Amino acid sequence: MPESGGPSTPRGPISTDRPQTDTPTAATEQHPAASEQHPAASEQQHPVAAATTAARRAGLLVTLVLGGLTALPPLSMDMYLPALPEVTRSLSAPAATVQLTLTACLAGMALGQLVVGPMSDKWGRRRPLLVGMLVYVAATAVCALAPSAELLIAFRLLQGLAGAAGIVIARAVVRDLYDGVEMARFFSTLMLISGVAPIIAPLIGGQILRVTDWRGVFYVLAVVGVVLTFVVWKWLHETLPADRRHSGGVGAALRTMRGLLADRVFTGYTLAGGLAFAVLFAYISASPFVVQEIYGASPQTFSLLFGVNSVGLVVVGQINGKLLVGRVSLDKALGAGLAVITLAALALLLMTSGVFGKPGLVPVAAGLFVLMSAMGLTLPNTNAQALMRTPHAAGSASALLGTSSFLIGAVASPLVGIAGERTAVPMAVVQLVCALAAVGCFLGLCRPWRAARTAPPTMDR
């Protein structure tokens, strides 16, 4: 298969000839729209830039492809949820064992990003992505045929490892193509797609179970994987030219990651984003028990509230990308998001601990809605700010961003049930602690009040 997916002249919406910009300077941070004031003159002076601009204007297909890759992992996780009781009966396995199929997939997604990210910096974006997608399809097909829970767990792990390619490489491709406010806008657009996926995935899974058994869910996921693989092969061209790729093996990859983590500002944005993601994980883990067991809501009411909160996140993400980016600095938007998350977590702690008496479901649901919606300001801007510092190693940087989010979230999630299912205080405590830690990392490591950034350390190639 040719690496470009066709003739040497790019035929799709992605151009490999992207003029590179190093770490953003104070001038670009203070005037993010300056480079867009005279696009015609800029294109006349720089033909390569004109070609790249034309490619970006045809970016709807790029958005859909990268959005599909980003949405595949939550589809793999959440579409399967309604089938868990049936899997337990079908494979004659304990519920705790079947739950490990979810844990295995999540662990695979976290660890797979550490492998695929550096691979994409060495061999380009297309090749590791296509290999990952093919392995994903094969692993998903085996899951559909699994005769035992143990085999299902093993191939769910492999499915997660392979599916991680879509997450990490989608972020790296965005970094290859965009910079500054354009990148922040694109991440906000991706959030629209990836935010909808967890909402509709259980609904799709439930409808599939009406016409077939749990194995049919994996067959559908395999078909989705085949379609995405074809679309990537056909239309997603290489975005990392050969002269920007890294040489070396595992040692070089580890040195690159060590160099990234040595960049104080990059590490600050990575930790702030991971801790904010942990607040989200705590909500996802605890909200079914909080809403249904503590406040007595029906499953339908919980589903409605979960969907409303997800819509809030998506809407605020679009406000961030369409209205704020380019008018307000990314650090100010990020700081506002972290502040709102912290205040909402504090309000939830005060309500659930009985400071204001025994609250009903409505005020608690309102607090969760505000907290979730503020994620639309936080998550895309932490990704954009971190990746703006790493044009030299976008794959490895994307891997560290994704892995840290999954791992910190995985550590925080079990803590929400430490006091049982009859109190929401642990959820609020975990959310407030993670939010305060995110604010501390943002202020202590990123130091957003500084107008100019120090250049990130040079990576070993």
Side-chain angles (χ1 to χ4, degrees), residues 55 234 373 415:
K234 182 73 173 178
S373 298
L415 299 178

Side-chain angles (χ1 to χ4, degrees), residues 92-410:
S92 302
T97 301
V98 174
Q99 287 284 352
L100 290 176
T101 61
L102 295 175
T103 305
C105 188
L106 181 61
M109 290 179 189
L111 299 176
Q113 295 184 62
L114 288 177
V115 177
V116 178
M119 288 173 58
S120 73
D121 284 336
K122 181 178 180 180
W123 290 310
R125 312 301 185 206
R126 271 177 55 86
R127 198 179 308 169
L129 178 56
L130 287 170
V131 171
M133 292 302 300
L134 290 172
V135 174
Y136 173 88
V137 171
T140 304
V142 175
C143 286
L145 302 171
S148 67
E150 292 74 18
L151 190 63
L152 180 59
I153 291 170
F155 278 90
R156 282 285 278 176
L157 176 65
L158 182 60
Q159 184 191 41
L161 288 167
I167 307 174
V168 67
I169 292 180
R171 277 195 302 262
V173 168
V174 174
R175 181 61 188 95
D176 293 339
L177 291 175
Y178 298 96
D179 206 346
V181 296
E182 287 185 341
M183 182 164 54
R185 288 194 183 106
F186 201 95
F187 276 127
S188 294
T189 303
L190 284 185
M191 181 167 286
L192 174 63
I193 300 173
S194 60
V196 170
I199 302 174
I200 65 173
L203 301 177
I204 296 174
Q207 294 305 310
I208 293 173
L209 293 176
R210 292 173 65 92
V211 297
T212 183
D213 61 5
W214 64 271
R215 299 180 188 276
V217 175
F218 287 106
Y219 284 126
V220 171
L221 287 172
V223 171
V224 172
V226 170
V227 172
L228 274 175
T229 304
F230 174 77
V231 170
V232 168
W233 174 79
K234 182 73 173 178
W235 285 291
L236 190 65
H237 296 277
E238 182 58 66
T239 61
L240 186 68
D243 60 352
R244 288 173 47 211
R245 298 178 189 177
H246 289 206
S247 59
V250 175
L254 292 176
R255 286 194 299 272
T256 298
M257 289 188 174
R258 183 181 62 191
L260 289 170
L261 293 175
D263 178 9
R264 169 179 51 78
V265 179
F266 171 82
T267 301
Y269 286 122
T270 300
L271 290 176
L275 288 163
F277 204 71
V279 177
L280 178 62
F281 263 59
Y283 159 78
I284 292 173
S285 300
S287 59
F289 302 103
V290 171
V291 174
Q292 296 180 77
E293 300 296 330
I294 299 176
Y295 293 99
S298 66
Q300 291 74 24
T301 301
F302 165 72
S303 299
L304 176 62
L305 292 176
F306 190 89
V308 168
N309 290 343
S310 299
V311 169
L313 185 152
V314 170
V315 169
V316 173
Q318 295 312 293
I319 291 173
N320 175 72
K322 305 299 184 184
L323 299 179
L324 298 182
V325 172
R327 296 178 176 87
V328 178
S329 74
L330 301 185
D331 277 337
K332 287 182 179 179
L334 172 56
L338 290 175
V340 173
I341 289 172
T342 304
L343 291 174
L346 177 60
L348 285 168
L349 178 58
L350 293 176
M351 285 189 289
T352 56
S353 60
V355 172
F356 304 126
K358 187 176 181 180
L361 176 59
V362 172
V364 173
L368 291 172
F369 174 78
V370 173
L371 183 145
M372 279 286 288
S373 298
M375 293 291 173
L377 288 176
T378 304
L379 298 181
N381 290 326
T382 51
N383 282 337
Q385 289 287 65
L387 290 173
M388 269 197 287
R389 299 185 61 80
T390 59
H392 46 279
S396 296
S398 178
L400 289 173
L401 283 168
T403 300
S404 64
S405 295
F406 276 99
L407 291 181
I408 297 174

